Amino acid sequence: MLRIEGVAKSFGTFRAVDGVSLDIKAGEFFALLGPSGCGKTTLLRMLAGFEAPDEGRILLGGKDIAQALPHERPINMMFQNYALFPHLSVRDNIAFGLKRAGMARAEIATRVAEMIALVKLDGLEKRKPDQLSGGQRQRVALARALARRPQLLLLDEPLAALDKKLRESTQGELMELQRRLGMTFIIVTHDQEEAMTMASRIGVMKSGKLAQVAPPRELYEAPRSRWIAEFVGDINLFDGESKLRDGHRLVIGTRDAGALVVAEPREPVGAGRFAVAIRPEKVKLSRRGPVSEAGRETAINRLDGVIADICYLGGTTTYKVKLDTGGVLQASVANSARIDVDAYSLNQHVVAWFTPDDCVVLQS
Amino acid sequence: MRKASRLTRFNVASLALGLAFLYLPILILVLYSFNASRLVTVWGGWSLRWYRELFNDRAMIEAAWMSLRVAVASATIATLLGTLAAVALSRGERFRGRTLFSGMLYAPLVMPEVITGLSLLLLFVALNAERGFWTVTMAHTTLTMCFVAVVVQSRLGSLDRSLEEAAMDLGCNPVRAFVAVTLPLIAPAIVAGWMLAFTLSLDDLVIASFTTGPGSATLPIRIYSEVRLGVKPEINAICTLVIALIAVVIVIASLASKLSSSQGESAAPL
Amino acid sequence: MSSRRIFARPARFAAIAPYVWMVLFFLVPFAFVLKISLSQTAIAQPPYEPVFDLSAGWDALKAAFAALSADNFRLIGSDDIYVFAYVRSLTVAITATALLLLIGYPIAYGMARLPKRWQAVAMVLVIVPFWTSFLIRIYAWINILQHDGLLNQILLALHLVSQPVVWLSTDTAMYIGIVYSYLPFMILPLYATLAKMEPALEEAAGDLGAPPWQVFWLVTFPLSLPGVGAGVLLCFIPIVGEFVIPDLLAGSNALMIGQTLWLEFFTNKDWPVASAAAIVLLVVLLVPLMLYERLQKRQLEQGR
């Protein structure tokens, strides 16, 4: 439905968006994720029409809208600070776009009532924005943007201004709404958990370029680069060189963790320098080593070390294990029992282990 | 949150003395305007005698009428032009001649009035314009539109730009977005600008002296020539009336600016 | 093109009317002042010899240029009255600005330290006198300072003086008048910077061992310098050209340049000399004016 082709935008000598191409399907909930200054907001503003791209095309339903003005696009945006008109009531804010569309008065009234019911703001129609709570303002902004039934809804950090609890419940509501309306949503966020929770696909941006576009699970479990692996979630990284190949297993010699056995990536890699990446929750700890299965020594990576740091996080505990080989390995262990008979203490000797399939090989 | 305990005794004393210094002279003036005695030294009891005499002073009444007309006319034109100038400066981005434009608008704010007055008079003489109501009005417009521009520009500058973007996103072209969203939000600043222009015009002696013609003195010119001859109780009375008029204007202006600032807060990001 | 640019196109049209107005009524008049300052005095109405007659064509223009004379400027440069007036204007302005800073700073500082809701009240209280007529405020002081005015009555009643003191027509009266009239212009920019200052900064300085006077001198004052600059310029520039206050409150033996200009213009009807005096005054004020313009621009045009 929406096709972005080689779009670029510079501010002075700074290339904010640098050749982005992307296809978004109708009914998709797409998230643009990235650190601040990566160009995600600029890309969103180009979709809304607040910035015109220097290069490239933006096709909506086959029509190039790259140079169209904001009011000429069937796209609406929910602003980060909501941008509610302070001089207008909730009702007039929601009706604002409908009036511009030249809709009949009766029809406007019906649509506004429908929107107010949709976002559960009944009884607040006559309030001004400064008489609303943060969560209520967010709903008004959403209703205002949805009222024109846009083909595409853009959401710029829509939940950034809400506190944690409200943010989580609103995430659920937004997803529910999107499914029910069958509309296409594009959300910009710097919060990876938010992107993971809500979006069906995530585009990670870095320095104006799309680094990877993938569903949340793939992004987390199969990051395409070292940078993405580090940006999305916590990860252990060990640099090394490939030493030998054994069937679909690969042995990589690392400086800090010795030789590690990893599964051969889907796209075969040649020789050279690699990084082995392993998520902390994939690392298991035990007092003694895992029961080794005779003859299958290579099937498991087993590293000895001592507990150097303990970080209790409630649901999980993160241990930092100082490896005998010199490196530090993070392991995240679920606190599955209330009484911690199994917890490790500082300087305790432990064995950390993980399977080759839990490792990701990244080209350095 | 600031706590009152941050106030030292020195702070309180300087505030109290400062405000007393600002207000006592005016209060004394108002008080004397109700003095029955002609002598300033003697309190002769309450009286409205000087107000009565004032209303029999044709020249004074005419000057007051002239001043009021000039103030209303010049404040209205100045508000129109000053608002346009503020819009161009805060929303026009870069345009040719912008530096000259802003320079011309900011300089009169501090320019000694003798210079402004003299230069305008020379212009009117060169244009062979008949000096009187219109020349004073144009001169005051030139001065006061700069004040209006500054007041409105500072409001426009603090306005959240995403409000205008939201209006465009919801189907307004730029001009309609300005009319539907920006204008209502800066209206209190425009009102305050008009009030400021009005009182500045009502107050001005120097520029009016240069640009007016024979037979059309403004109130300050009239008061000035009386004051040069010494203190007179009638002057106390007319001054009190002007203060009362301005007080009314201030109340309206401060209500308008209160409205403006409360809306400004809600427009700010959370 | 960005949304700002989309907005900018119609916004620029708004500049046309005020631009034309300011060129016509602010810029062009200076050309006339310059022109007349270079012409000869004539006993006529208007009292100067026209310098340009554009209808006469190019030759006439050249002749007119040849006839221009710097006599008026030479007069201003050599006549003690003018030199003295400029020097006096600058001295008065410097002294008065220093007084204003000394008196205004503690008041602004006190305001900034008030609880938030009281700050708004204090600000209105400081602005209100500024809205009250300038002339009336001077007149109010004449009431107080005259020979049998309130001040002398109080002093006599308290037996602080044995006979009335002459206040009017003295420099003291003039300085009182100037400080009184310009005080809000000094307080407001000072207050604006002081109120924006993070209270934690002063607390941190105290926490790090600075006694109160050092906290003020090493932290508060340096951080308030932009406000000091704005206040000083806002007072200094107009005071140099002040006419009403010295005219009504100071003695007539030493004139400021604004008074001299007024005198030349209204009493002596010597427009060319008055124009030359205005040009010189403008040149004297050029640097502070440019500083002020930059300050104003920065304040209004950089987003806050």
Side-chain angles (χ1 to χ4, degrees):
Chain A
M1 184 199 81
L2 179 74
R3 165 166 287 187
I4 300 168
E5 279 178 6
V7 160
K9 173 80 189 175
S10 301
F11 297 111
T13 55
F14 173 66
R15 279 183 87 77
V17 172
D18 192 0
V20 167
S21 294
L22 183 65
D23 268 312
I24 286 166
K25 294 184 278 292
E28 198 172 7
F29 199 134
F30 190 89
L32 278 169
L33 176 67
S36 55
C38 71
K40 56 187 194 300
T41 300
T42 306
L43 184 58
L44 196 76
R45 288 172 61 83
M46 285 196 279
L47 296 180
F50 300 135
E51 311 285 347
D54 302 331
E55 295 162 30
R57 302 200 295 167
I58 298 172
L59 299 163
L60 185 72
K63 213 176 108 215
D64 189 1
I65 56 162
Q67 305 297 331
L69 292 174
H71 65 276
E72 299 161 349
R73 303 181 182 212
I75 296 176
N76 283 117
M77 172 143 152
M78 191 180 144
F79 288 78
Q80 180 172 7
N81 56 15
Y82 311 141
L84 297 179
F85 305 127
H87 59 302
L88 300 180
S89 66
V90 168
R91 176 185 288 142
D92 290 339
N93 261 285
I94 298 174
F96 190 92
L98 303 174
K99 282 183 192 155
R100 307 303 132 192
M103 207 183 254
R105 189 176 282 222
E107 211 179 331
I108 291 178
T110 334
R111 182 75 67 84
V112 169
E114 190 186 309
M115 285 298 138
I116 282 175
L118 187 72
V119 296
K120 305 186 191 91
L121 280 170
D122 311 77
L124 302 176
E125 293 90 337
K126 286 191 181 138
R127 296 254 185 109
K128 290 278 178 71
D130 58 358
Q131 298 166 315
L132 299 174
S133 72
Q136 288 165 341
R137 283 185 215 181
Q138 192 260 0
R139 284 154 193 275
V140 178
L142 184 63
R144 187 178 71 177
L146 285 173
R148 280 165 70 101
R149 302 219 170 115
Q151 292 180 28
L152 178 63
L153 182 70
L154 309 172
L155 303 101
D156 186 8
E157 303 269 8
L159 310 175
L162 305 179
D163 58 40
K164 194 170 184 304
K165 277 267 181 276
L166 192 57
R167 195 159 59 218
E168 280 163 7
S169 65
T170 313
Q171 281 174 3
E173 283 171 24
L174 266 180
M175 290 163 69
E176 223 264 332
L177 204 68
Q178 190 261 346
R179 260 197 303 270
R180 190 141 50 99
L181 299 171
M183 247 191 221
T184 316
F185 278 29
I186 299 181
I187 182 174
V188 153
T189 178
H190 66 274
D191 181 340
Q192 39 159 310
E193 265 179 51
E194 193 171 290
M196 295 263 196
T197 316
M198 305 205 316
S200 51
R201 255 186 339 145
I202 297 173
V204 183
M205 282 190 76
K206 186 203 175 191
S207 319
K209 290 193 166 76
L210 270 175
Q212 185 170 2
V213 181
R217 187 174 190 97
E218 190 184 323
L219 197 66
Y220 187 75
E221 304 293 1
R224 264 225 319 249
S225 73
R226 192 192 168 106
W227 183 83
I228 294 173
E230 283 186 294
F231 180 71
V232 182
D234 288 328
I235 202 145
N236 295 295
L237 281 167
F238 298 105
D239 290 307
E241 278 170 72
S242 86
K243 283 211 321 220
L244 68 109
R245 190 179 300 263
D246 169 22
H248 45 269
R249 296 276 194 253
L250 208 61
V251 178
I252 291 180
T254 67
R255 199 187 63 219
D256 292 336
L260 295 175
V261 185
V262 300
E264 168 113 39
R266 220 176 299 161
E267 296 151 36
V269 291
R273 301 196 56 80
F274 296 99
V276 177
I278 171 89
R279 298 280 179 198
E281 73 277 5
K282 309 286 192 298
V283 178
K284 282 96 180 167
L285 295 181
S286 55
R287 290 182 171 76
R288 270 159 274 126
V291 181
S292 79
E293 294 160 56
R296 289 189 60 190
E297 282 286 309
T298 54
I300 270 176
N301 292 299
R302 186 201 140 116
L303 300 165
D304 291 281
V306 292
I307 302 281
D309 189 28
I310 301 172
C311 189
Y312 177 78
L313 298 168
T316 58
T317 300
T318 303
Y319 296 98
K320 278 195 179 133
V321 181
K322 177 99 179 94
L323 300 174
D324 295 350
T325 45
V328 174
L329 181 70
Q330 260 193 48
S332 171
V333 177
N335 294 320
S336 50
R338 197 166 70 86
I339 319 282
D340 64 337
V341 285
D342 275 340
Y344 301 95
S345 47
L346 271 182
N347 298 322
Q348 188 176 358
H349 185 92
V350 290
V351 178
W353 52 278
F354 46 89
T355 68
D357 290 319
D358 287 333
C359 299
V360 178
V361 180
L362 300 166
Q363 204 113 29
S364 284
Chain B
M1 200 59 207
R2 278 162 196 274
K3 285 182 219 99
S5 61
R6 267 166 55 82
L7 273 179
T8 61
R9 228 173 278 168
F10 175 72
N11 290 149
V12 177
S14 45
L15 269 176
L17 285 176
L19 289 177
F21 176 61
L22 284 177
Y23 281 91
L24 274 179
I26 298 174
L27 289 178
I28 291 166
L29 176 103
V30 172
L31 192 69
Y32 274 128
S33 77
F34 296 104
N35 187 0
S37 162
R38 174 166 287 278
L39 294 166
V40 189
T41 30
V42 186
W43 178 253
W46 297 92
S47 156
L48 290 175
R49 176 179 162 199
W50 308 117
Y51 290 88
R52 274 197 302 276
E53 292 205 3
L54 195 64
F55 286 115
N56 294 326
D57 186 342
R58 284 277 312 267
M60 194 64 98
I61 301 278
E62 258 165 39
W65 177 233
M66 163 87 175
S67 267
L68 271 178
R69 284 185 310 155
V70 168
V72 169
S74 68
T76 307
I77 306 172
T79 303
L80 200 72
L81 291 171
T83 303
L84 286 173
V87 169
L89 280 178
S90 72
R91 292 296 187 265
E93 304 294 316
R94 275 184 220 148
F95 54 87
R96 215 182 299 165
R98 189 195 161 100
T99 313
L100 175 68
F101 189 44
S102 64
M104 287 190 300
L105 282 170
Y106 300 149
L109 300 178
V110 285
M111 184 76 79
E113 288 169 325
V114 280
I115 297 182
T116 318
L118 175 68
S119 64
L120 278 165
L121 170 67
L122 296 183
L123 173 79
F124 293 139
V125 168
L127 292 177
N128 229 337
E130 193 194 334
R131 274 171 286 150
F133 173 79
W134 281 109
T135 48
V136 182
T137 301
M138 282 194 276
H140 281 179
T141 302
T142 309
L143 174 73
T144 57
M145 69 179 271
C146 304
F147 284 85
V148 175
V150 167
V151 170
V152 176
Q153 198 189 345
S154 97
R155 177 76 188 117
L156 275 170
S158 66
L159 205 66
D160 185 357
R161 295 292 301 259
S162 64
L163 292 172
E164 284 155 9
E165 289 183 344
M168 288 199 273
D169 185 62
L170 293 167
C172 289
N173 63 38
V175 175
R176 291 192 72 173
F178 182 82
V179 173
V181 172
T182 318
L183 207 55
L185 291 176
I186 61 169
I190 295 176
V191 172
W194 189 91
M195 304 280 183
L196 184 59
F198 177 82
T199 55
L200 282 169
S201 166
L202 207 59
D203 187 17
D204 169 72
L205 164 68
V206 176
I207 293 177
S209 299
F210 276 100
T211 51
T212 195
S216 39
T218 62
L219 189 58
I221 296 177
R222 192 83 206 112
I223 295 176
Y224 172 73
S225 57
E226 295 276 337
V227 168
R228 294 211 62 169
L229 301 175
V231 176
K232 268 200 202 163
E234 294 100 318
I235 301 293
N236 285 337
I238 183 77
C239 288
T240 303
L241 287 179
V242 173
I243 291 170
L245 174 67
I246 290 170
V248 171
V249 171
I250 291 169
V251 169
I252 298 170
S254 71
L255 284 179
S257 79
K258 197 165 277 174
L259 213 68
S260 154
S261 70
S262 75
Q263 288 190 342
E265 271 156 26
S266 63
L270 290 166
Chain C
M1 193 173 60
S2 71
S3 66
R4 287 176 170 245
R5 298 253 295 277
I6 300 171
F7 228 83
R9 276 187 277 175
R12 272 175 218 150
F13 280 99
I16 296 172
Y19 210 125
V20 168
W21 183 283
M22 287 315 281
V23 167
L24 197 63
F25 291 102
F26 187 73
L27 211 57
V28 170
F30 281 119
F32 280 102
V33 177
L34 193 63
K35 167 189 138 180
I36 289 160
S37 71
L38 292 169
S39 60
Q40 309 285 337
T41 313
I43 315 289
Q45 190 62 306
Y48 62 90
E49 274 180 11
V51 178
F52 304 125
D53 187 0
L54 288 179
S55 55
W58 184 239
D59 285 334
L61 204 65
K62 267 200 285 194
F65 265 108
L68 289 183
S69 94
D71 281 356
N72 300 312
F73 289 98
R74 247 172 257 136
L75 174 73
I76 285 175
S78 58
D79 193 328
D80 281 351
I81 296 176
Y82 297 103
V83 178
F84 188 74
Y86 282 110
V87 172
R88 174 162 163 91
S89 288
L90 289 176
T91 342
V92 168
I94 290 169
T95 317
T97 308
L99 282 171
L100 278 160
L101 189 61
L102 276 174
I103 296 169
Y105 203 108
I107 300 174
Y109 194 46
M111 280 170 65
R113 287 193 153 214
L114 283 174
K116 266 270 170 316
R117 58 172 31 239
W118 287 101
Q119 281 188 32
V121 176
M123 191 149 111
V124 172
L125 285 175
V126 170
I127 294 175
V128 166
F130 159 72
W131 289 69
T132 327
S133 174
F134 186 72
L135 191 59
I136 291 176
R137 281 179 290 155
I138 301 306
Y139 174 70
W141 275 102
I142 298 180
N143 255 342
I144 296 170
L145 295 177
Q146 61 183 316
H147 184 76
D148 45 4
L150 197 69
L151 183 62
N152 275 335
Q153 287 186 48
I154 291 173
L155 291 177
L156 286 169
L158 294 174
H159 297 289
L160 287 171
V161 292
S162 51
Q163 53 190 14
V165 182
V166 177
W167 295 106
L168 276 185
S169 303
T170 64
D171 279 6
T172 316
M174 177 185 68
Y175 281 119
I176 292 176
I178 293 178
V179 168
Y180 184 66
S181 303
Y182 284 89
L183 199 54
F185 293 96
M186 182 59 89
I187 293 178
L188 289 177
L190 282 174
Y191 163 74
T193 37
L194 286 169
K196 263 190 290 184
M197 206 179 293
E198 195 68 55
L201 290 176
E202 290 184 346
E203 287 165 7
D207 183 60
L208 294 169
W213 67 270
Q214 276 188 356
V215 171
F216 177 80
W217 193 242
L218 297 174
V219 177
T220 315
F221 187 72
L223 285 173
S224 68
L225 281 177
V228 173
V232 164
L233 288 174
L234 213 54
C235 295
F236 177 81
I237 302 172
I239 293 175
V240 173
E242 188 53 62
F243 163 74
V244 182
I245 304 174
D247 185 61
L248 289 178
L249 293 177
S252 52
N253 46 347
L255 298 183
M256 283 175 68
I257 194 62
Q259 295 167 273
T260 319
L261 198 156
W262 183 283
L263 210 68
E264 287 298 349
F265 191 87
F266 285 109
T267 313
N268 298 348
K269 304 267 189 238
D270 192 341
W271 292 17
V273 169
S275 301
I279 295 282
V280 174
L281 178 55
L282 202 61
V283 170
V284 169
L285 290 178
L286 209 57
V287 173
L289 265 171
M290 276 159 66
L291 280 176
Y292 172 77
E293 208 253 312
R294 270 179 55 186
L295 208 79
Q296 186 75 21
K297 217 176 184 167
R298 204 167 51 198
Q299 201 199 333
L300 283 175
E301 291 173 14
Q302 278 179 356
R304 265 167 281 170

